[in-house]
mmCIF file of all heavy atoms in Angstrom:
data_model
loop_
_atom_site.group_PDB
_atom_site.id
_atom_site.type_symbol
_atom_site.label_atom_id
_atom_site.label_comp_id
_atom_site.label_asym_id
_atom_site.label_seq_id
_atom_site.Cartn_x
_atom_site.Cartn_y
_atom_site.Cartn_z
ATOM 1 N N LEU A 1 -4.505 9.007 1.237
ATOM 2 C CA LEU A 1 -3.953 8.408 2.455
ATOM 3 C C LEU A 1 -2.542 8.946 2.723
ATOM 4 O O LEU A 1 -1.640 8.196 3.086
ATOM 5 C CB LEU A 1 -3.922 6.880 2.336
ATOM 6 C CG LEU A 1 -5.260 6.171 2.409
ATOM 7 C CD1 LEU A 1 -5.097 4.686 2.135
ATOM 8 C CD2 LEU A 1 -5.903 6.377 3.774
ATOM 9 N N ARG A 2 -2.376 10.244 2.553
ATOM 10 C CA ARG A 2 -1.065 10.831 2.823
ATOM 11 C C ARG A 2 -0.654 10.551 4.264
ATOM 12 O O ARG A 2 -1.467 10.660 5.182
ATOM 13 C CB ARG A 2 -1.086 12.340 2.604
ATOM 14 C CG ARG A 2 -1.041 12.714 1.143
ATOM 15 C CD ARG A 2 -0.980 14.196 0.988
ATOM 16 N NE ARG A 2 -2.308 14.728 1.298
ATOM 17 C CZ ARG A 2 -2.599 15.997 1.307
ATOM 18 N NH1 ARG A 2 -1.665 16.892 1.068
ATOM 19 N NH2 ARG A 2 -3.813 16.400 1.575
ATOM 20 N N ASN A 3 0.608 10.169 4.417
ATOM 21 C CA ASN A 3 1.218 9.921 5.734
ATOM 22 C C ASN A 3 0.513 8.826 6.535
ATOM 23 O O ASN A 3 0.628 8.782 7.759
ATOM 24 C CB ASN A 3 1.281 11.218 6.552
ATOM 25 C CG ASN A 3 2.073 12.280 5.836
ATOM 26 O OD1 ASN A 3 3.172 12.041 5.362
ATOM 27 N ND2 ASN A 3 1.489 13.462 5.714
ATOM 28 N N ALA A 4 -0.193 7.942 5.869
ATOM 29 C CA ALA A 4 -0.897 6.855 6.563
ATOM 30 C C ALA A 4 0.099 5.860 7.157
ATOM 31 O O ALA A 4 1.142 5.570 6.576
ATOM 32 C CB ALA A 4 -1.826 6.127 5.604
ATOM 33 N N ASP A 5 -0.224 5.333 8.317
ATOM 34 C CA ASP A 5 0.594 4.313 8.975
ATOM 35 C C ASP A 5 0.080 2.943 8.535
ATOM 36 O O ASP A 5 -0.938 2.466 9.023
ATOM 37 C CB ASP A 5 0.510 4.455 10.487
ATOM 38 C CG ASP A 5 1.454 3.511 11.209
ATOM 39 O OD1 ASP A 5 2.101 2.670 10.544
ATOM 40 O OD2 ASP A 5 1.550 3.611 12.436
ATOM 41 N N LEU A 6 0.768 2.338 7.582
ATOM 42 C CA LEU A 6 0.376 1.046 7.020
ATOM 43 C C LEU A 6 1.456 -0.008 7.292
ATOM 44 O O LEU A 6 1.614 -0.953 6.538
ATOM 45 C CB LEU A 6 0.120 1.196 5.511
ATOM 46 C CG LEU A 6 -0.944 2.237 5.155
ATOM 47 C CD1 LEU A 6 -0.933 2.534 3.662
ATOM 48 C CD2 LEU A 6 -2.316 1.768 5.603
ATOM 49 N N ARG A 7 2.172 0.165 8.386
ATOM 50 C CA ARG A 7 3.239 -0.778 8.742
ATOM 51 C C ARG A 7 2.663 -2.149 9.070
ATOM 52 O O ARG A 7 1.569 -2.256 9.613
ATOM 53 C CB ARG A 7 4.016 -0.282 9.965
ATOM 54 C CG ARG A 7 4.814 0.964 9.720
ATOM 55 C CD ARG A 7 5.441 1.451 10.999
ATOM 56 N NE ARG A 7 4.362 1.892 11.894
ATOM 57 C CZ ARG A 7 4.521 2.111 13.180
ATOM 58 N NH1 ARG A 7 5.679 1.923 13.750
ATOM 59 N NH2 ARG A 7 3.508 2.512 13.917
ATOM 60 N N TYR A 8 3.436 -3.181 8.730
ATOM 61 C CA TYR A 8 3.149 -4.565 9.102
ATOM 62 C C TYR A 8 1.811 -5.078 8.550
ATOM 63 O O TYR A 8 1.217 -5.980 9.128
ATOM 64 C CB TYR A 8 3.166 -4.744 10.625
ATOM 65 C CG TYR A 8 4.511 -4.455 11.232
ATOM 66 C CD1 TYR A 8 4.784 -3.211 11.797
ATOM 67 C CD2 TYR A 8 5.510 -5.424 11.238
ATOM 68 C CE1 TYR A 8 6.029 -2.945 12.353
ATOM 69 C CE2 TYR A 8 6.746 -5.168 11.795
ATOM 70 C CZ TYR A 8 6.995 -3.928 12.351
ATOM 71 O OH TYR A 8 8.229 -3.666 12.900
ATOM 72 N N ILE A 9 1.326 -4.517 7.458
ATOM 73 C CA ILE A 9 0.077 -5.031 6.902
ATOM 74 C C ILE A 9 0.381 -5.978 5.742
ATOM 75 O O ILE A 9 1.489 -6.010 5.217
ATOM 76 C CB ILE A 9 -0.868 -3.912 6.419
ATOM 77 C CG1 ILE A 9 -0.280 -3.159 5.228
ATOM 78 C CG2 ILE A 9 -1.208 -2.961 7.550
ATOM 79 C CD1 ILE A 9 -1.274 -2.253 4.541
ATOM 80 N N MET A 10 -0.606 -6.743 5.354
ATOM 81 C CA MET A 10 -0.503 -7.601 4.178
ATOM 82 C C MET A 10 -1.450 -7.049 3.123
ATOM 83 O O MET A 10 -2.638 -6.856 3.385
ATOM 84 C CB MET A 10 -0.874 -9.031 4.498
ATOM 85 C CG MET A 10 -0.740 -9.938 3.309
ATOM 86 S SD MET A 10 -1.087 -11.623 3.827
ATOM 87 C CE MET A 10 -0.991 -12.460 2.295
ATOM 88 N N VAL A 11 -0.903 -6.761 1.959
ATOM 89 C CA VAL A 11 -1.672 -6.258 0.828
ATOM 90 C C VAL A 11 -1.578 -7.304 -0.271
ATOM 91 O O VAL A 11 -0.484 -7.667 -0.675
ATOM 92 C CB VAL A 11 -1.098 -4.907 0.334
ATOM 93 C CG1 VAL A 11 -1.849 -4.411 -0.878
ATOM 94 C CG2 VAL A 11 -1.101 -3.878 1.455
ATOM 95 N N ASP A 12 -2.705 -7.809 -0.734
ATOM 96 C CA ASP A 12 -2.694 -8.852 -1.760
ATOM 97 C C ASP A 12 -3.839 -8.609 -2.740
ATOM 98 O O ASP A 12 -4.984 -8.417 -2.323
ATOM 99 C CB ASP A 12 -2.837 -10.225 -1.100
ATOM 100 C CG ASP A 12 -2.458 -11.371 -2.028
ATOM 101 O OD1 ASP A 12 -1.979 -11.120 -3.151
ATOM 102 O OD2 ASP A 12 -2.630 -12.528 -1.607
ATOM 103 N N TYR A 13 -3.514 -8.624 -4.018
ATOM 104 C CA TYR A 13 -4.492 -8.388 -5.085
ATOM 105 C C TYR A 13 -5.218 -7.063 -4.915
ATOM 106 O O TYR A 13 -6.438 -7.005 -4.835
ATOM 107 C CB TYR A 13 -5.491 -9.543 -5.184
ATOM 108 C CG TYR A 13 -4.872 -10.807 -5.709
ATOM 109 C CD1 TYR A 13 -4.548 -11.838 -4.835
ATOM 110 C CD2 TYR A 13 -4.573 -10.948 -7.052
ATOM 111 C CE1 TYR A 13 -3.946 -12.998 -5.302
ATOM 112 C CE2 TYR A 13 -3.972 -12.103 -7.527
ATOM 113 C CZ TYR A 13 -3.662 -13.118 -6.648
ATOM 114 O OH TYR A 13 -3.059 -14.259 -7.104
ATOM 115 N N VAL A 14 -4.427 -5.985 -4.850
ATOM 116 C CA VAL A 14 -4.994 -4.643 -4.724
ATOM 117 C C VAL A 14 -4.548 -3.804 -5.915
ATOM 118 O O VAL A 14 -3.398 -3.887 -6.353
ATOM 119 C CB VAL A 14 -4.543 -3.975 -3.404
ATOM 120 C CG1 VAL A 14 -4.981 -2.526 -3.359
ATOM 121 C CG2 VAL A 14 -5.092 -4.740 -2.213
ATOM 122 N N ILE A 15 -5.457 -3.019 -6.427
ATOM 123 C CA ILE A 15 -5.146 -2.063 -7.483
ATOM 124 C C ILE A 15 -5.404 -0.669 -6.920
ATOM 125 O O ILE A 15 -6.506 -0.373 -6.461
ATOM 126 C CB ILE A 15 -6.007 -2.301 -8.738
ATOM 127 C CG1 ILE A 15 -5.743 -3.693 -9.293
ATOM 128 C CG2 ILE A 15 -5.718 -1.216 -9.778
ATOM 129 C CD1 ILE A 15 -6.675 -4.105 -10.408
ATOM 130 N N TRP A 16 -4.349 0.142 -6.902
ATOM 131 C CA TRP A 16 -4.443 1.535 -6.463
ATOM 132 C C TRP A 16 -4.365 2.389 -7.714
ATOM 133 O O TRP A 16 -3.430 2.243 -8.504
ATOM 134 C CB TRP A 16 -3.270 1.901 -5.569
ATOM 135 C CG TRP A 16 -3.144 1.165 -4.288
ATOM 136 C CD1 TRP A 16 -2.491 -0.018 -4.086
ATOM 137 C CD2 TRP A 16 -3.641 1.562 -3.007
ATOM 138 N NE1 TRP A 16 -2.552 -0.366 -2.769
ATOM 139 C CE2 TRP A 16 -3.255 0.588 -2.078
ATOM 140 C CE3 TRP A 16 -4.373 2.668 -2.562
ATOM 141 C CZ2 TRP A 16 -3.575 0.676 -0.739
ATOM 142 C CZ3 TRP A 16 -4.698 2.753 -1.227
ATOM 143 C CH2 TRP A 16 -4.302 1.761 -0.328
ATOM 144 N N ARG A 17 -5.317 3.319 -7.909
ATOM 145 C CA ARG A 17 -5.304 4.188 -9.090
ATOM 146 C C ARG A 17 -5.552 5.634 -8.677
ATOM 147 O O ARG A 17 -6.417 5.904 -7.855
ATOM 148 C CB ARG A 17 -6.399 3.783 -10.063
ATOM 149 C CG ARG A 17 -6.155 2.475 -10.742
ATOM 150 C CD ARG A 17 -7.213 2.232 -11.806
ATOM 151 N NE ARG A 17 -6.932 0.965 -12.453
ATOM 152 C CZ ARG A 17 -7.814 -0.001 -12.585
ATOM 153 N NH1 ARG A 17 -9.042 0.134 -12.152
ATOM 154 N NH2 ARG A 17 -7.474 -1.119 -13.184
ATOM 155 N N PHE A 18 -4.818 6.538 -9.331
ATOM 156 C CA PHE A 18 -5.038 7.975 -9.205
ATOM 157 C C PHE A 18 -5.147 8.424 -7.745
ATOM 158 O O PHE A 18 -5.978 9.253 -7.405
ATOM 159 C CB PHE A 18 -6.307 8.410 -9.953
ATOM 160 C CG PHE A 18 -6.466 7.792 -11.312
ATOM 161 C CD1 PHE A 18 -7.506 6.923 -11.578
ATOM 162 C CD2 PHE A 18 -5.560 8.073 -12.316
ATOM 163 C CE1 PHE A 18 -7.657 6.348 -12.824
ATOM 164 C CE2 PHE A 18 -5.702 7.502 -13.580
ATOM 165 C CZ PHE A 18 -6.749 6.644 -13.829
ATOM 166 N N SER A 19 -4.325 7.871 -6.887
ATOM 167 C CA SER A 19 -4.431 8.152 -5.458
ATOM 168 C C SER A 19 -3.160 8.795 -4.917
ATOM 169 O O SER A 19 -2.116 8.776 -5.555
ATOM 170 C CB SER A 19 -4.728 6.861 -4.692
ATOM 171 O OG SER A 19 -5.961 6.326 -5.093
ATOM 172 N N ASN A 20 -3.260 9.329 -3.732
ATOM 173 C CA ASN A 20 -2.137 9.977 -3.073
ATOM 174 C C ASN A 20 -1.804 9.218 -1.790
ATOM 175 O O ASN A 20 -2.567 9.245 -0.829
ATOM 176 C CB ASN A 20 -2.480 11.429 -2.751
ATOM 177 C CG ASN A 20 -1.296 12.192 -2.195
ATOM 178 O OD1 ASN A 20 -0.320 11.608 -1.741
ATOM 179 N ND2 ASN A 20 -1.377 13.509 -2.231
ATOM 180 N N LEU A 21 -0.665 8.535 -1.823
ATOM 181 C CA LEU A 21 -0.151 7.841 -0.644
ATOM 182 C C LEU A 21 1.179 8.465 -0.200
ATOM 183 O O LEU A 21 1.956 7.826 0.503
ATOM 184 C CB LEU A 21 0.057 6.357 -0.940
ATOM 185 C CG LEU A 21 -1.191 5.522 -1.192
ATOM 186 C CD1 LEU A 21 -0.817 4.103 -1.609
ATOM 187 C CD2 LEU A 21 -2.064 5.478 0.035
ATOM 188 N N SER A 22 1.431 9.685 -0.623
ATOM 189 C CA SER A 22 2.715 10.310 -0.305
ATOM 190 C C SER A 22 2.952 10.296 1.203
ATOM 191 O O SER A 22 2.051 10.549 1.994
ATOM 192 C CB SER A 22 2.777 11.743 -0.848
ATOM 193 O OG SER A 22 1.778 12.543 -0.277
ATOM 194 N N GLY A 23 4.180 9.934 1.556
ATOM 195 C CA GLY A 23 4.565 9.894 2.962
ATOM 196 C C GLY A 23 4.034 8.712 3.749
ATOM 197 O O GLY A 23 4.292 8.594 4.945
ATOM 198 N N ALA A 24 3.284 7.818 3.102
ATOM 199 C CA ALA A 24 2.749 6.647 3.808
ATOM 200 C C ALA A 24 3.885 5.721 4.244
ATOM 201 O O ALA A 24 4.961 5.700 3.651
ATOM 202 C CB ALA A 24 1.765 5.888 2.923
ATOM 203 N N ASN A 25 3.638 4.955 5.281
ATOM 204 C CA ASN A 25 4.644 4.046 5.824
ATOM 205 C C ASN A 25 4.176 2.605 5.638
ATOM 206 O O ASN A 25 3.285 2.133 6.340
ATOM 207 C CB ASN A 25 4.865 4.343 7.302
ATOM 208 C CG ASN A 25 6.010 3.556 7.881
ATOM 209 O OD1 ASN A 25 6.550 2.661 7.250
ATOM 210 N ND2 ASN A 25 6.386 3.881 9.101
ATOM 211 N N PHE A 26 4.784 1.916 4.649
ATOM 212 C CA PHE A 26 4.509 0.504 4.380
ATOM 213 C C PHE A 26 5.642 -0.376 4.923
ATOM 214 O O PHE A 26 5.786 -1.512 4.505
ATOM 215 C CB PHE A 26 4.411 0.247 2.873
ATOM 216 C CG PHE A 26 3.100 0.616 2.244
ATOM 217 C CD1 PHE A 26 2.952 1.810 1.567
ATOM 218 C CD2 PHE A 26 2.020 -0.245 2.295
ATOM 219 C CE1 PHE A 26 1.756 2.149 0.954
ATOM 220 C CE2 PHE A 26 0.820 0.066 1.687
ATOM 221 C CZ PHE A 26 0.687 1.273 1.018
ATOM 222 N N SER A 27 6.454 0.141 5.832
ATOM 223 C CA SER A 27 7.608 -0.637 6.296
ATOM 224 C C SER A 27 7.153 -1.956 6.917
ATOM 225 O O SER A 27 6.100 -2.032 7.549
ATOM 226 C CB SER A 27 8.450 0.171 7.285
ATOM 227 O OG SER A 27 7.749 0.414 8.475
ATOM 228 N N HIS A 28 7.937 -2.981 6.666
ATOM 229 C CA HIS A 28 7.715 -4.328 7.198
ATOM 230 C C HIS A 28 6.400 -4.950 6.701
ATOM 231 O O HIS A 28 5.901 -5.892 7.316
ATOM 232 C CB HIS A 28 7.749 -4.335 8.731
ATOM 233 C CG HIS A 28 9.035 -3.832 9.284
ATOM 234 N ND1 HIS A 28 10.150 -4.628 9.404
ATOM 235 C CD2 HIS A 28 9.394 -2.607 9.728
ATOM 236 C CE1 HIS A 28 11.134 -3.922 9.910
ATOM 237 N NE2 HIS A 28 10.700 -2.682 10.105
ATOM 238 N N SER A 29 5.842 -4.425 5.617
ATOM 239 C CA SER A 29 4.591 -4.971 5.073
ATOM 240 C C SER A 29 4.878 -6.007 3.994
ATOM 241 O O SER A 29 5.950 -6.024 3.397
ATOM 242 C CB SER A 29 3.735 -3.845 4.481
ATOM 243 O OG SER A 29 3.299 -2.980 5.493
ATOM 244 N N ASP A 30 3.914 -6.859 3.744
ATOM 245 C CA ASP A 30 3.968 -7.844 2.667
ATOM 246 C C ASP A 30 3.010 -7.371 1.582
ATOM 247 O O ASP A 30 1.794 -7.304 1.812
ATOM 248 C CB ASP A 30 3.549 -9.226 3.162
ATOM 249 C CG ASP A 30 4.520 -9.796 4.175
ATOM 250 O OD1 ASP A 30 5.737 -9.586 4.011
ATOM 251 O OD2 ASP A 30 4.069 -10.455 5.132
ATOM 252 N N ILE A 31 3.560 -7.031 0.411
ATOM 253 C CA ILE A 31 2.748 -6.483 -0.673
ATOM 254 C C ILE A 31 2.876 -7.421 -1.873
ATOM 255 O O ILE A 31 3.942 -7.550 -2.471
ATOM 256 C CB ILE A 31 3.207 -5.059 -1.023
ATOM 257 C CG1 ILE A 31 3.153 -4.179 0.238
ATOM 258 C CG2 ILE A 31 2.351 -4.483 -2.143
ATOM 259 C CD1 ILE A 31 3.779 -2.820 0.080
ATOM 260 N N TYR A 32 1.775 -8.092 -2.198
ATOM 261 C CA TYR A 32 1.745 -9.089 -3.265
ATOM 262 C C TYR A 32 0.721 -8.698 -4.331
ATOM 263 O O TYR A 32 -0.333 -8.141 -4.014
ATOM 264 C CB TYR A 32 1.320 -10.459 -2.717
ATOM 265 C CG TYR A 32 2.151 -11.001 -1.601
ATOM 266 C CD1 TYR A 32 1.706 -10.934 -0.287
ATOM 267 C CD2 TYR A 32 3.385 -11.587 -1.849
ATOM 268 C CE1 TYR A 32 2.460 -11.444 0.754
ATOM 269 C CE2 TYR A 32 4.149 -12.096 -0.808
ATOM 270 C CZ TYR A 32 3.684 -12.025 0.484
ATOM 271 O OH TYR A 32 4.433 -12.522 1.513
ATOM 272 N N ASN A 33 1.011 -9.047 -5.590
ATOM 273 C CA ASN A 33 0.043 -8.930 -6.682
ATOM 274 C C ASN A 33 -0.680 -7.584 -6.659
ATOM 275 O O ASN A 33 -1.902 -7.517 -6.744
ATOM 276 C CB ASN A 33 -0.987 -10.063 -6.588
ATOM 277 C CG ASN A 33 -0.324 -11.409 -6.478
ATOM 278 O OD1 ASN A 33 0.440 -11.804 -7.349
ATOM 279 N ND2 ASN A 33 -0.581 -12.107 -5.383
ATOM 280 N N THR A 34 0.076 -6.518 -6.544
ATOM 281 C CA THR A 34 -0.494 -5.184 -6.372
ATOM 282 C C THR A 34 -0.038 -4.258 -7.490
ATOM 283 O O THR A 34 1.113 -4.314 -7.918
ATOM 284 C CB THR A 34 -0.090 -4.622 -4.995
ATOM 285 O OG1 THR A 34 -0.682 -5.450 -3.985
ATOM 286 C CG2 THR A 34 -0.549 -3.199 -4.804
ATOM 287 N N VAL A 35 -0.950 -3.404 -7.938
ATOM 288 C CA VAL A 35 -0.659 -2.421 -8.976
ATOM 289 C C VAL A 35 -0.815 -1.029 -8.383
ATOM 290 O O VAL A 35 -1.821 -0.726 -7.739
ATOM 291 C CB VAL A 35 -1.623 -2.584 -10.177
ATOM 292 C CG1 VAL A 35 -1.424 -1.464 -11.186
ATOM 293 C CG2 VAL A 35 -1.442 -3.942 -10.829
ATOM 294 N N PHE A 36 0.205 -0.202 -8.602
ATOM 295 C CA PHE A 36 0.148 1.221 -8.271
ATOM 296 C C PHE A 36 0.137 1.962 -9.605
ATOM 297 O O PHE A 36 1.142 1.991 -10.310
ATOM 298 C CB PHE A 36 1.370 1.645 -7.449
ATOM 299 C CG PHE A 36 1.445 1.019 -6.083
ATOM 300 C CD1 PHE A 36 2.242 -0.094 -5.854
ATOM 301 C CD2 PHE A 36 0.724 1.554 -5.029
ATOM 302 C CE1 PHE A 36 2.331 -0.667 -4.591
ATOM 303 C CE2 PHE A 36 0.809 1.001 -3.754
ATOM 304 C CZ PHE A 36 1.605 -0.119 -3.540
ATOM 305 N N ASP A 37 -1.001 2.521 -9.994
ATOM 306 C CA ASP A 37 -1.181 3.132 -11.307
ATOM 307 C C ASP A 37 -1.498 4.619 -11.166
ATOM 308 O O ASP A 37 -2.502 4.987 -10.552
ATOM 309 C CB ASP A 37 -2.327 2.418 -12.037
ATOM 310 C CG ASP A 37 -2.512 2.869 -13.468
ATOM 311 O OD1 ASP A 37 -1.628 3.561 -14.011
ATOM 312 O OD2 ASP A 37 -3.561 2.528 -14.042
#
């Protein structure tokens, strides 16, 4: 999800593994109980 527009989203109980989110935009998002591995 390189350069993905993920602004203003709610992320809860998510596990991200071995992934590429480089350049993604999580600005103004609510990120809870999340693992970036």
Side-chain angles (χ1 to χ4, degrees):
L1 288 174
R2 283 183 286 178
N3 301 311
D5 186 354
L6 303 168
R7 293 175 293 165
Y8 297 97
I9 66 168
M10 182 176 176
V11 177
D12 196 6
Y13 290 103
V14 173
I15 299 172
W16 297 88
R17 290 187 179 127
F18 316 115
S19 298
N20 186 342
L21 293 174
S22 61
N25 187 351
F26 280 99
S27 66
H28 301 278
S29 294
D30 294 322
I31 304 171
Y32 303 102
N33 308 301
T34 296
V35 174
F36 294 98
D37 186 13

